[in-house]
Amino acid sequence: MTQATLKCTRAYVEITNICNMHCSFCHGHSRTPRRMSMDEFSHVLGELEGKIQFVYYHLMGEPLTHPDLPDMIRLANARGFRSVITTNGTLLRGRGGELIAAKPHKVSISLHSFEEGGEDAMRKYLSEVADFAKQAAEAGIIVVFRLWNRGCDGGQNERIEAFLRTRLPGDWVISPRGARIREKLYMEWGDRFIWPDKDAPDGGNAVYCYGLGNQFGILCDGTVVPCCLDSDGVINLGNVFREPLADILSSERAIAIREGFTCRKATEDLCRRCSYARRF
């Protein structure tokens, strides 16, 4: 395994590709609905030991739809990993308590996911996620509200921020990327982006990406992909349930992708069609 591989700090482990919502900004996927079992998750952690520090529990799918999520977090904690959850927040009212009890390192709540209902439904949703955020932050868990739809929100982001300021009083120290609300509690915003797609326009091979540099993904069926945006496993590097992860990450294809990015060159067709990578 090359030194570049050893620099990876995070793995996106998709414990399920099932979601309870159909958000307009999400690329979605065409794979068979599936959940990773506890035994499979334990095997993945074994493959990740000594390679990465942070486990992110998604690629596609809503992690809180997985019944074993708290036990997965506890298992990862016991093995020395830091667990990071990204959720749409709609299930926190029912599962927030057990999530806090499991003690993940960080929970990111994508507020731009909630697109259903009117003003009353939005206020109810925001009240529920604010209550969770307050309790989680007080328990020592980092909580980040995400608004990754700047320029496409129709003024809704300002209304969301104003509402949360009333529910979560704090410092609200503003920075270019977001705000520090109080200890362990933050808001971040960003521009909406278009997911890479094999049918998207070819933007050329002048691309830089963190894929296989500081991150990689493992889909719920064990498929290893270079980054967290390969929703359909187009760039299939191998399967962690059938071969050692070290062999997969040191394969000729993986090395070519990684070394290509260091030279700002995309070696894969899907990467040429990724608008997100062009931010870098």
Side-chain angles (χ1 to χ4, degrees), residues 175-232:
S175 71
R177 296 185 61 184
R180 179 190 182 277
I181 301 172
R182 60 170 76 162
E183 184 71 20
K184 301 288 185 179
L185 186 53
Y186 303 86
M187 176 178 284
E188 65 179 30
W189 46 72
D191 298 331
R192 192 162 178 169
F193 66 90
I194 299 174
W195 289 65
D197 186 275
K198 59 183 178 59
D199 295 322
D202 187 332
N205 69 351
V207 172
Y208 179 79
C209 179
Y210 293 108
L212 292 177
N214 76 345
Q215 60 148 296
F216 55 89
I218 301 175
L219 302 183
C220 56
D221 67 351
T223 299
V224 178
V225 293
C227 82
C228 60
L229 294 180
D230 189 353
S231 60
D232 268 321

Side-chain angles (χ1 to χ4, degrees), residues 64-79:
L64 284 169
T65 65
H66 199 303
D68 296 327
L69 174 61
D71 290 334
M72 289 176 165
I73 295 172
R74 292 188 184 94
L75 180 60
N77 290 348
R79 295 195 183 181

Side-chain angles (χ1 to χ4, degrees), residues 28-59:
H29 66 87
S30 59
R31 293 174 283 133
T32 301
R34 191 184 192 280
R35 290 190 178 104
M36 193 178 285
S37 70
M38 278 296 297
D39 286 343
E40 289 172 334
F41 183 72
S42 178
H43 175 81
V44 168
L45 291 184
E47 291 293 306
L48 293 175
E49 283 182 316
K51 298 180 179 65
I52 61 100
Q53 181 181 11
F54 295 93
V55 176
Y56 286 66
Y57 288 65
H58 76 286
L59 201 143

